[in-house]
Amino acid sequence: MPPGALHHRVTAALSNWQLDDAEELLADVGTDSSPYAAPTPRDGGLARPADLGRAWADTLRAELLVRRLRKAGFTLVGDPVEPSSGPGVAARLDLHAGVAELIDGPPASEDGDPRASHAALAIALVRSAKAAFDATEDELQRAAGLARHARIELLSRRIDAAMDEAVEAASLLGPALPPSALLVETLTTLAGVLADLELMPLALDYQRRAHQTAVAAAAVPGALGWVGDGDPVGDPDVLVARAASALGELCAELGEALLDDGDPDAAAPHFADARALAEEALALLPPDSAEAVVAAQVVHGWALVGLGEHAAAVGPLRAAVRTTATGDRALHATALLALGRALRRQGDGRGADEQLAQALATATEHGLPRPRRAALRELCTLHAELDDAGRALPYLQAYLADELDRVDERRTRWVELFGRRKSLLETERAAGQLRRQAYEDPLTHLPNRRYAEATLDGLLGSGAAPALAVVDVDRFKEVNDAVGHAGGDDVLRRVAEILVAGCRDTDDVCRWAGDEFVVLLPETTAEQAEFALERCRRAVAETDWAALGMPVPVTISVGIASATRGDDRRTLFAAADGVLYDAKRSGRDRVVRLSAVTQTRAAESPLDAFSGPAGTAVTDGSSRDDTTLAGSPEQVPPAPRVPAVQPSPLTEPTTVTSGFAPLLVEPADPPLGLGSPAEPALAPAPPLEPPVPPVAPTRGAPAEPDVIWAPGRSTEQVLALVREARRQFPDRPAVVVRAPAETLVALASEHDAYTTVDAASMSAAVGPLPEPVGSIGVLCGVGGDLAVAAEAAFAARVTGTAVLRVDDVGGSRFRAGLPGNALPEDVDCLVVVAGLDASLAGLLGVLTDVPIVAVPTSTGQPGSFGGFSALLTMLNSAAPGVVVSNIDNGHAAGVFAARIARRAHRG
């Protein structure tokens, strides 16, 4: 139900400080239902509406008591409003005595202070109302109560408590709430609280939303509710007009502040907005809405004064002053203030002084801080212009004292904010230390087995197909025997460093147990993982281990398996562990992978083409627990040599005895037999055809660049990886992504003309770039997304396609319609990079049939959660033809778009 008439009458009486009238109206409110009565729950529970009705009644009574205390010079908690210094200043109220008086009744003597019992009762009412609002499941009801309680806290000069209530109320007012009169009033109340907290930009935002909500509610039949005879509750036009007047008042106030700061050009648009809003309100209001009409006229006159049309403003403002003389005190003070400004700027000093002095008296008497400060400033300016320093000085002193109070409030607010931020950081730091202790190996400072298991479970649970490498240090027992356990720890740390340096930032190198490590490689095939781990194996074998006291080099053996559908952590680890056992039996110091197609050992390593086969060690026939160090003086009996890798069962079908491989080879039985070789055939067997050697697939496009991620690596490491990539693949560029400036400079210095550097994307390509085939477009929203867009464009270009950039498409420029050059034509794919304007990708998906790759970014407001909100917006878009990359990954999006473009033009 919408706000009730009784509630509005009590609220108006409280706002005008007509406290006796408000108390009289509240006398019978205990039997009245809530002015914001929630609908009865379907489960039959009837307690919630009554509880909310009691909560609103308690809130109104608490505000009444707080205003009485404020008139007496005290806050809600019994502190004097004025600083307690000097003789004659009231002492703090005894709240304990007030509570005792509420429980036991008034004392027999007349020495008790009723104000203490008023404060104690107000505190009890506030707590009772807050508990009821916190218990409700209706977020709008709760937000409305919190916004009203924030206003009560402001009356008590409790700035920190008002801020807390306002923040919590704002967090409940999500965009999904349907338009209603209660939502409009809650947003208006919250905007007023934020304005009193000197957060004018936020106040404007919430009041603007209140106006938009009112317009939306007026356009929907029944949005304001219905009475029993079927008539709508309230006048939608009045609701819109009141919201427009409130928004116009804030616009005029902001324009006046800019005028006071000496910036009339910036103030003019705000006064123009205030004038337009006031005219909208006056056009909507019926003649019988006298109070709302006067409020709109005051805003209109204030706007005319700000725009320099003083003569046109004076007449309506004088009429508004006369009309509001016995009405709304805040509106009366505002009208007096606007009329005083107009007369001062017309040169009527005496008239301006009279109106401004009345505005000051009204604002001071009724606790209106913003009009009071404005009146003091206007009076000081007026008498300074009249060269009356004697009268200007008291106003200046009062204004400066008020400003000092505001500075003290700000200082208190900042101290509290500092304390909260410090506590939050300490909590985050403690939580981080606990996470490190739970997931970090203390020796190598790598993630431990618990982290590896959790990460692998997460990858497999999400449907990803990672590769898993199990790494074992060969004959580590004898390493400990040779250099002791401390030396063995040094060896493990060195091996860990080599593995981390040889893997990508997206890979996880973890210590599993003892001398065993695991490497998790997301979205990686076993063949790709083999390249990376082979680099690591060579780096370990080529390390100068003599510096650590080792008499012979340390080597590692690696087993690799990639996940297939249905694999869990245990089966994947068992597969990788099994091929590691094969590597041990095959002589150690080698990398063996499990084929991703047949789940059998790979026949021959593709790395042998450029690095040669790994050295074949002599196996002693033992298990993986190594006992003899290769090359040591101690001799062992010769053992038969075994091949470096085992042949695939597809090449020797007669050796297949188990597993899935028999299903992939031709059966040995006659094709038309009846069950066994002894039975006669039903027809002659077809002639055997000679086996056809497999033909390597041909590709029309060259291989893609080798990518090196610079974050987490030193400049020397990046340069070494680039040299290795250029040695292995001289026909393709090596691309360095997200490199700092010093790394880019070092690359350009070392490789000179072979280097293509893009400072905007922090990327560089070393080597010949492919000829562009096809084209893509890269569009980005606001300026904060430019770095990710530049990364996507650079990745697409070095992958081999032409790129067209269109920047700064989002924001207000997009609301008026799509710019003519914003949608590139004749492109094969679009990359749309957006954070704050995450809906841009979905909108473009409707406007074009070109495939779109959407890249969410972490830029935007603090509430964007590091890009997670943009990611959800793009994933939940119903637009067809849009795929979504992960957050800030412009490189992956650029490569994907380039693949589409090149494939579209493949002959």
Side-chain angles (χ1 to χ4, degrees):
M1 293 177 60
L6 178 59
H7 173 84
H8 283 309
R9 289 201 300 272
V10 174
T11 299
L14 290 173
S15 299
N16 294 328
W17 293 85
Q18 298 167 348
L19 305 185
D20 293 336
D21 294 345
E23 187 170 9
E24 184 178 349
L25 290 170
L26 282 170
D28 299 327
V29 85
T31 59
D32 189 53
S33 61
S34 167
Y36 300 116
T40 303
R42 293 185 180 180
D43 57 3
L46 300 175
R48 191 174 72 172
D51 289 343
L52 287 175
R54 175 67 180 274
W56 281 110
D58 288 347
T59 299
L60 293 173
R61 289 193 177 96
E63 184 172 346
L64 171 63
L65 292 171
V66 168
R67 288 181 181 271
R68 289 197 183 281
L69 287 168
R70 180 65 184 271
K71 289 193 72 172
F74 294 94
T75 68
L76 173 63
V77 294
D79 293 329
V81 173
E82 298 299 330
S84 56
S85 60
V89 177
R92 192 178 191 278
L93 297 178
D94 187 356
L95 294 182
H96 295 288
V99 173
E101 184 177 342
L102 289 176
I103 297 175
D104 302 330
S109 65
E110 297 182 358
D111 297 335
D113 189 350
R115 295 174 300 186
S117 62
H118 288 171
L121 179 58
I123 292 174
L125 291 173
V126 166
R127 290 178 177 173
S128 171
K130 285 183 178 179
F133 285 125
D134 289 341
T136 183
E137 297 178 0
D138 190 332
E139 291 189 348
L140 180 54
Q141 290 275 356
R142 187 179 173 194
L146 287 168
R148 190 61 178 261
H149 281 273
R151 193 163 74 176
I152 294 175
E153 299 291 0
L154 275 179
L155 287 170
S156 299
R157 303 287 291 271
R158 286 158 45 92
I159 305 300
D160 53 345
M163 181 73 77
D164 291 340
E165 303 285 1
V167 168
E168 189 173 358
S171 68
L172 296 171
L173 296 173
L177 291 174
S180 65
L182 176 55
L183 179 57
V184 173
E185 182 167 336
T186 303
L187 290 167
T188 301
T189 302
L190 182 58
V193 170
L194 292 172
D196 286 338
L197 289 171
E198 301 182 42
L199 302 174
M200 189 59 73
L202 286 177
L204 271 175
D205 288 342
Y206 279 96
Q207 189 58 54
R208 187 171 287 110
R209 183 182 168 192
H211 179 238
Q212 295 169 351
T213 303
V215 173
V220 178
L224 305 184
W226 306 90
V227 294
D229 56 1
D231 293 329
V233 175
D235 189 338
D237 290 340
V238 174
L239 182 70
V240 175
R242 289 182 182 274
S245 296
L247 179 58
E249 183 177 355
L250 289 179
C251 290
E253 187 171 349
L254 181 57
E256 203 66 51
L258 291 171
L259 274 183
D260 291 339
D261 292 339
D263 193 353
D265 293 337
H270 296 288
F271 285 119
D273 290 343
R275 179 178 184 173
L277 289 164
E279 291 172 351
E280 175 191 351
L282 291 171
L284 290 172
L285 287 169
D288 57 349
S289 299
E291 184 180 344
V293 170
V294 172
Q297 288 174 343
V298 170
V299 174
H300 189 260
W302 190 356
L304 292 177
V305 172
L307 293 171
E309 301 178 23
H310 308 127
V314 169
L317 286 175
R318 288 189 186 277
V321 168
R322 289 192 300 269
T323 305
T324 59
T326 58
D328 189 333
R329 297 291 84 195
L331 183 59
H332 183 60
T334 303
L336 287 168
L337 190 58
L339 178 58
R341 286 193 182 101
L343 295 175
R344 179 180 70 81
R345 293 169 189 176
Q346 275 188 321
D348 185 358
R350 177 178 296 180
D353 182 54
E354 179 183 354
Q355 303 300 326
L356 292 173
Q358 291 183 29
L360 176 61
T362 303
T364 303
E365 179 184 358
H366 295 93
L368 305 171
R370 285 150 49 208
R372 182 178 185 275
R373 282 195 299 271
L376 284 171
R377 180 160 184 158
E378 287 291 332
L379 284 166
C380 181
T381 304
L382 170 65
H383 291 293
E385 291 174 348
L386 296 175
D387 292 329
D388 190 352
R391 296 193 63 186
L393 183 58
Y395 294 124
L396 177 61
Q397 290 173 337
Y399 180 78
L400 292 177
D402 195 66
E403 286 295 312
L404 287 176
D405 289 342
R406 295 169 65 195
V407 170
D408 289 339
E409 291 176 358
R410 292 193 196 102
R411 185 182 296 112
T412 302
R413 206 176 306 165
W414 280 110
V415 168
E416 183 178 356
L417 181 62
F418 177 84
R420 292 181 182 179
R421 182 61 178 164
K422 179 174 175 290
S423 299
L424 178 61
L425 289 176
E426 289 173 349
T427 303
E428 291 177 349
R429 191 176 296 112
Q433 291 174 352
L434 290 175
R435 282 193 296 269
R436 283 194 295 273
Q437 292 173 5
Y439 290 114
E440 185 178 276
D441 172 53
L443 176 64
T444 61
H445 298 293
L446 292 178
N448 59 14
R449 177 172 180 167
R450 185 182 292 110
Y451 175 88
E453 290 178 341
T455 303
L456 193 55
D457 284 339
L459 289 171
L460 295 173
S462 65
L468 175 67
V470 181
V471 182
D472 187 79
V473 180
D474 295 330
R475 296 185 174 91
F476 187 70
K477 180 179 181 300
E478 296 192 3
V479 171
N480 281 333
D481 293 342
V483 295
H485 289 285
D489 290 346
D490 291 338
V491 169
L492 290 177
R493 280 191 285 264
R494 183 64 182 133
V495 170
E497 293 171 359
I498 295 172
L499 291 175
V500 171
C503 295
R504 304 168 299 184
D505 289 344
T506 54
D507 302 332
D508 285 311
V509 180
C510 310
R511 187 184 179 197
W512 189 257
D515 60 333
E516 205 164 54
F517 300 84
V518 296
V519 183
L520 310 179
L521 302 101
E523 299 298 335
T524 305
T525 64
E527 292 81 3
Q528 293 169 332
E530 185 180 11
F531 280 106
L533 271 300
E534 177 61 25
R535 284 199 302 265
C536 297
R537 183 201 65 77
R538 289 201 311 272
V540 171
E542 295 169 359
T543 298
D544 182 15
W545 293 105
L548 296 180
M550 287 296 301
V552 293
V554 175
T555 60
I556 59 173
S557 298
V558 185
I560 300 173
S562 59
T564 57
R565 183 175 299 178
D567 277 343
D568 60 13
R569 167 170 48 87
R570 293 177 180 82
T571 57
L572 182 58
F573 182 83
D577 200 47
V579 288
L580 173 62
Y581 181 77
D582 289 346
K584 291 287 189 180
R585 289 192 309 170
S586 302
R588 302 181 181 87
D589 189 21
R590 65 190 63 245
V591 179
V592 178
R593 64 176 169 84
L594 197 65
S595 170
V597 177
T598 64
Q599 292 294 290
T600 59
R601 279 69 174 169
E604 188 171 338
S605 172
L607 300 172
D608 295 344
F610 60 85
S611 63
T616 303
V618 178
T619 178
D620 55 7
S622 65
S623 66
R624 277 173 52 189
D625 293 329
D626 303 320
T627 56
T628 305
L629 190 64
S632 62
E634 181 180 353
Q635 299 295 321
V636 297
R641 294 180 179 272
V642 296
V645 291
Q646 298 182 0
S648 170
L650 297 180
T651 59
E652 296 184 20
T654 58
T655 65
V656 177
T657 59
S658 62
F660 292 105
L663 302 177
L664 305 177
V665 301
E666 292 295 329
D669 294 329
L672 299 179
L674 296 178
S676 69
E679 296 179 0
L682 299 179
L688 295 177
E689 297 181 358
V692 179
V695 179
T698 59
R699 298 287 183 182
E704 292 180 354
D706 197 31
V707 180
I708 299 164
W709 290 83
R713 294 190 170 104
S714 66
T715 299
E716 291 73 17
Q717 290 173 330
V718 172
L719 291 175
L721 291 173
V722 170
R723 295 188 203 103
E724 179 67 15
R726 293 291 296 139
R727 185 183 69 83
Q728 295 180 16
F729 310 109
D731 59 335
R732 68 181 77 166
V735 178
V736 180
V737 181
R738 297 185 185 178
E742 57 269 19
T743 302
L744 296 177
V745 172
L747 284 169
S749 301
E750 179 170 321
H751 298 278
D752 198 14
Y754 292 95
T755 306
T756 303
V757 177
D758 186 351
S761 64
M762 298 188 298
S763 303
V766 180
L769 299 183
E771 289 296 324
V773 177
S775 63
I776 71 163
V778 179
L779 283 70
C780 81
V782 296
D785 305 325
L786 289 176
V788 180
E791 182 178 278
F794 185 79
R797 177 62 192 92
V798 299
T799 305
T801 189
V803 180
L804 176 63
R805 288 280 301 276
V806 180
D807 295 335
D808 206 9
V809 178
S812 59
R813 291 164 299 285
F814 201 80
R815 298 192 189 103
L818 191 65
N821 60 345
L823 193 59
E825 299 180 356
D826 299 328
V827 294
D828 303 297
C829 187
L830 285 175
V831 177
V832 180
V833 182
L836 194 60
D837 295 304
S839 60
L840 180 62
L843 182 55
L844 291 176
V846 177
L847 298 176
T848 180
D849 60 351
V850 179
I852 293 177
V853 186
V855 185
T857 68
S858 55
T859 60
Q861 299 174 345
S864 62
F865 300 104
F868 189 67
S869 60
L871 175 64
L872 290 180
T873 300
M874 292 179 176
L875 289 175
N876 290 326
S877 171
V882 179
V883 298
V884 182
S885 171
N886 50 342
I887 299 171
D888 290 337
N889 196 347
H891 179 83
V895 172
F896 184 81
R899 288 177 178 175
I900 293 178
R902 294 185 67 88
R903 192 170 187 85
H905 290 267
R906 184 177 299 175

